[in-house]
């Protein structure tokens, strides 16, 4: 299983709308990319104010998802909830 | 649900023994802290070479786990698989 994580590092002077993220943005991303599952994190302690984890069956499935027509709309929607530059991580879940 | 993530950022000149991590270290941590579930990531692309995610029912359950006698042994074991300084994140899973 492949995990794509998107982290939002705490950034001086930046805002993050957790409600919009949970209720609007992540559902849009999930409709667009159809991951196997999705988990949304709200930071309590540590470097990130928020994160999302999207699981895919394989790297091929991930690449096919990112090629979807709606990907540009998902990326354009980021400006509606934060000014933080997201950090992407792709990992294989090995245990 | 509370997620504790431990990230290992790619670090110039540092090593990381993924086999030891998966087969020895994370099982030791799981026996010591009894999280609800555990997932181990091996980095494919992005800033981290590896990560683990430990889920707990609550912040109280997390604090109780960290107070376990074996916590010092888990931390001392890090030197057996990496020279990377781990980064900790605690988050609430909100969706």
């Amino acid at each position: 299983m492949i995990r794509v994580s998107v982290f939002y590092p705490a950034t001086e002077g930046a805002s993050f709308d957790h409600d919009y993220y949970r209720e609007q943005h992540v559902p849009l991303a999930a409709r667009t990319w159809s991951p196997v599952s999705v988990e949304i994190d709200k930071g309590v302690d540590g470097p990130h104010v928020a994160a999302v984890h999207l699981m895919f069956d394989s790297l091929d499935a991930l690449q096919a998802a990112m090629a979807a027509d709606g990907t540009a709309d998902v990326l354009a929607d980021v400006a509606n909830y934060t000014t933080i530059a997201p950090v992407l991580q792709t990992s294989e879940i090995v245990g």
Side-chain angles (χ1 to χ4, degrees), chain A residues 9-17 49 81-85:
Chain A
T11 304
E12 184 76 28
S15 61
F16 192 96
D17 183 337
V49 298
Y81 61 87
T82 192
T83 53
I84 298 173

Side-chain angles (χ1 to χ4, degrees), chain A residues 2-90:
Chain A
I2 297 296
R3 177 199 310 274
V4 176
S5 301
V6 184
F7 303 115
Y8 295 87
T11 304
E12 184 76 28
S15 61
F16 192 96
D17 183 337
H18 288 280
D19 291 338
Y20 186 93
Y21 191 61
R22 186 179 67 246
E23 294 164 16
Q24 302 291 333
H25 180 75
V26 175
L28 171 64
R31 285 196 305 274
T32 303
W33 295 327
S34 301
V36 174
S37 63
V38 178
E39 291 177 351
I40 303 170
D41 292 351
K42 184 175 182 177
V44 173
D45 190 41
H48 307 141
V49 298
V52 71
H53 307 271
L54 307 165
M55 295 357 151
F56 293 90
D57 280 325
S58 66
L59 287 171
D60 284 349
L62 166 61
Q63 289 179 334
M66 292 302 132
D69 283 342
T71 292
D73 292 337
V74 176
L75 301 181
D77 187 53
V78 175
N80 292 323
Y81 61 87
T82 192
T83 53
I84 298 173
V87 174
L88 266 73
Q89 171 78 33
T90 303

